[in-house]
Amino acid sequence: MSQKNLANYRVLKPGEPHPQGWNIPPVNDLRSAINLLKTLSGHYIETDREVDPNTELAGVYRYIGAGGTVMRPTRIGPAMMFNNIKGFPESRVLVGLMASRERVSALLGAPVHELGIQMADARKNVMPPVIIDKTQVPCQEVVYRAEDVGFDLRKILPMLTNTNEDAGPYFCLGLVLGSDPDDYDNVDVTIHRLCVQSKDALSIFFAPGRHIDIFRKKAEAGGEPLAVSINIGLDPAIYIGAEFEAPTTPFGFNELCVAGGLRGKPVELVECLSIKQRAIAHAEIVIEGEILPNIRVAEDQNSHTGKAMPEFPGYMGEANPLLPVIKVKVITTRKNPILQTLVGPGEEHVILAGLPTEASIYMKCEEALPGLVKNVYAHRAGGGKFLAILQVEKRNVGDDGMTRQAALIALAVYRELKNIILVDDDVDLFDTDDVLWAMQTRYISDLDTLFVPGVAGHVLDPSQQPLYDPRLTAKGTTGKTIFDCTVPFHLKRTFIRAQFKEVDPSLWMPSLFS
């Protein structure tokens, strides 16, 4: 990100103590993240049993730790390394690194219930990436060139499918890095749906409004390809920071600055070998390529299933009939690389999407209504996007209306939100049972429900289409709802929960609280 785009942000200096005092762990790549998890009980496991990357690996992890909106039975469990991938003796596959708030807390350094606040802080206190020399760069230890005889990315990297209906193998955690054709330093990083189409080609799906797609369209208008690097196997701070969206990260904002803010040190980049683009220097795998102008393919051209892959709402995404194509030029890897992936609708996606959602809402509410919104939770039932719980602390009678205003701010700042539940500060917003208790005792449907009809939502919600609701004129449009489950300020004294004596329970049952 160029210096002109940093004018409105505080730029941290390398080594500067974190303003909030969080104990940031020494993680700078995937391997150091794994080493940290190995010191924590119940957060990391490995298996040497052979597994087929075609549907079997995802089928196994569905039971181990997928969680999220995956069809039951599933659960939140440890990250899992598969060391024996059928057909790929030199590769390993890791799934579930970020599929637990407790695990992400350990990896980022903030307490579990403050992760969204930590993200908001990193968005305000940024650290731009730096370019390092190519000498002994980890991500370029091994090089495969498309011009080489026998090059086939399907034989170099494990090809993972989640279900039998998948359009093809997908890279589910490929961080795409692209630049504005008119400004090389105007960089955007985002995670997109990348389907392997041939030995040297991928299709890429852009949700509406993505900045790299704006870059692509600009390049295509000039008849030029757009150079991109696809980075796989990264420091989790990079993946999570990259999930911020406009307006929280406006056009021209490089989300790698957020990862730098989270770590207190800059993300290191290196120039690619075959294209004018940069890559994450400590990535496990980098795919260098170009998005070709005026070329489109059907996402399921090889399978003809009509489906794409499992998406975050818990349903199979529909295959897109006309997607841009990335022509692969070079693949670089570390020695014995780790292919990092996720199970589409699982808890890992919830956290990747949810933490920036929480941060975006918290930041804007704090700016507009200081001190009212205490915390935000992007609930896993909405895949980290559709459902938000806002915890407020009312201080006067005027805050009854301001609480609802906060919900409207949340809908404005994060357009993909569909439902918002407002709760008081004596309710644990991360405990669904407690939230539902508030709804049963502090909510009357025809008094405390606000409807916002006919506004932009998310195209992957199957209810947001004219076939479901004939009133809709376009896919990705919906009605939104605010459920005000807070006590009116003048009644707060009559809604005090039963108070119990404060004790140290570990004196009676140490094993439960160790």
Side-chain angles (χ1 to χ4, degrees):
M1 184 164 65
S2 59
Q3 290 300 314
K4 66 181 180 181
N5 292 325
L6 289 173
N8 297 323
Y9 311 103
R10 178 171 180 265
V11 180
L12 293 172
K13 297 177 181 179
E16 180 180 344
H18 198 282
Q20 299 294 337
W22 290 308
N23 185 21
I24 309 303
V27 172
N28 72 333
D29 62 3
L30 179 58
R31 299 189 186 197
S32 56
I34 292 171
N35 288 336
L36 174 61
L37 293 187
K38 287 180 178 179
T39 68
L40 306 175
S41 176
H43 282 290
Y44 177 82
I45 57 174
E46 294 187 5
T47 178
D48 293 326
R49 181 183 175 91
E50 184 182 74
V51 67
D52 192 331
N54 182 18
T55 71
E56 188 174 51
L57 187 149
V60 171
Y61 196 67
R62 175 261 185 103
Y63 292 102
I64 300 295
T69 58
V70 170
M71 185 176 178
R72 274 52 182 164
T74 187
R75 68 188 187 113
I76 296 173
M80 189 171 187
M81 181 77 80
F82 292 85
N83 293 322
N84 189 354
I85 309 300
K86 183 178 180 180
F88 298 89
E90 300 300 320
S91 294
R92 299 170 286 168
V93 174
L94 176 72
V95 61
L97 180 76
M98 299 164 283
S100 150
R101 288 186 79 100
E102 288 74 16
R103 192 148 59 247
V104 171
S105 171
L107 291 167
L108 294 186
V112 172
H113 290 179
E114 295 180 18
L115 288 169
I117 297 172
Q118 183 188 26
M119 292 299 300
D121 180 84
R123 166 58 182 76
K124 291 184 291 186
N125 298 286
V126 300
M127 185 172 291
V130 295
I131 314 299
I132 64 172
D133 189 80
K134 288 183 180 179
T135 306
Q136 296 183 335
V137 173
C139 73
Q140 295 175 348
E141 290 176 338
V142 182
V143 180
Y144 305 88
R145 298 183 183 276
E147 61 197 34
D148 295 340
V149 175
F151 177 90
D152 191 334
L153 70 89
R154 298 167 298 187
K155 298 178 181 179
I156 297 170
L157 302 174
M159 295 290 101
L160 298 167
T161 58
N162 283 281
T163 77
N164 287 324
E165 289 188 295
D166 284 16
Y170 281 89
F171 295 116
C172 295
L173 277 175
L175 185 80
V176 183
L177 187 156
S179 300
D180 187 330
D182 298 328
D183 182 359
Y184 186 49
D185 290 324
N186 182 6
V187 172
D188 186 57
V189 287
T190 37
I191 300 171
H192 299 282
R193 207 161 74 194
L194 300 166
C195 185
V196 179
Q197 298 295 345
S198 69
K199 67 177 184 178
D200 62 354
L202 311 169
S203 61
I204 181 168
F205 171 80
F206 292 104
R210 297 298 187 256
H211 293 168
I212 287 183
D213 196 27
I214 296 173
F215 298 161
R216 176 194 67 81
K217 291 175 180 176
K218 184 184 291 188
E220 186 171 72
E224 297 294 328
L226 181 73
V228 296
S229 66
I230 301 168
N231 305 268
I232 303 172
L234 307 171
D235 175 357
I238 297 176
Y239 278 127
I240 296 171
E243 287 294 287
F244 271 108
E245 298 177 10
T248 308
T249 50
F251 190 76
F253 184 96
N254 182 352
E255 290 85 359
L256 292 177
C257 295
V258 176
L262 284 169
R263 289 290 179 223
K265 56 185 177 183
V267 174
E268 294 183 336
L269 302 176
V270 65
E271 297 292 343
C272 291
L273 301 180
S274 65
I275 56 175
K276 185 182 178 182
Q277 193 47 268
R278 294 158 183 163
I280 310 296
H282 294 273
E284 291 288 322
I285 298 162
V286 176
I287 300 173
E288 302 179 6
E290 294 178 330
I291 304 179
L292 302 177
N294 304 309
I295 302 294
R296 303 289 187 272
V297 298
E299 194 168 14
D300 65 338
Q301 65 174 347
N302 296 313
S303 65
H304 305 291
T305 63
K307 303 295 183 182
M309 61 171 287
E311 282 287 2
F312 72 90
Y315 300 94
M316 291 295 294
E318 297 297 320
N320 194 294
L322 294 169
L323 289 183
V325 174
I326 301 174
K327 195 72 170 178
V328 177
K329 290 186 169 291
V330 162
I331 297 174
T332 69
T333 74
R334 300 182 73 159
K335 294 175 182 177
N336 194 19
I338 302 168
L339 179 69
Q340 190 177 359
T341 190
L342 54 72
V343 174
E347 185 72 8
E348 194 156 17
H349 188 288
V350 168
I351 289 173
L352 276 169
L355 291 182
T357 302
E358 294 168 15
S360 299
I361 294 170
Y362 177 81
M363 285 173 58
K364 292 302 180 182
C365 287
E366 182 63 18
E367 289 174 6
L369 306 167
L372 178 63
V373 175
K374 310 306 292 184
N375 211 341
V376 181
Y377 172 40
H379 200 286
R380 64 172 54 94
K385 288 179 177 283
F386 292 167
L387 174 61
I389 318 296
L390 273 61
Q391 182 191 58
V392 302
E393 182 180 7
K394 293 183 180 180
R395 300 149 299 187
N396 52 60
V397 68
D399 280 345
D400 287 338
M402 291 301 182
T403 291
R404 298 183 177 195
Q405 183 66 33
L408 294 173
I409 291 171
L411 291 176
V413 75
Y414 200 80
R415 65 174 178 82
E416 295 173 346
L417 269 182
K418 185 177 181 181
N419 296 305
I420 294 177
I421 301 176
L422 299 163
V423 297
D424 291 297
D425 56 319
D426 64 343
V427 175
D428 184 349
L429 73 166
F430 294 96
D431 185 335
T432 300
D433 287 343
D434 216 27
V435 172
L436 291 178
W437 168 84
M439 179 173 280
Q440 308 321 304
T441 64
R442 301 176 175 185
Y443 166 82
I444 298 175
S445 61
D446 61 346
L447 178 66
D448 297 317
T449 313
L450 286 73
F451 298 102
V452 184
V455 289
H458 199 294
V459 294
L460 293 179
D461 178 352
S463 70
Q464 296 184 29
Q465 58 175 310
L467 285 175
Y468 189 96
D469 183 353
R471 298 174 301 172
L472 301 179
T473 58
K475 193 173 183 180
T477 303
T478 190
K480 303 192 177 186
T481 316
I482 299 168
F483 301 91
D484 187 351
C485 303
T486 63
V487 177
F489 182 80
H490 74 282
L491 293 177
K492 286 193 73 170
R493 292 185 178 180
T494 62
F495 279 77
I496 297 175
R497 303 179 73 164
Q499 301 295 300
F500 294 86
K501 182 178 180 178
E502 290 295 332
V503 298
D504 180 0
S506 67
L507 298 176
W508 284 266
M509 189 57 64
S511 61
L512 289 180
F513 299 93
S514 59

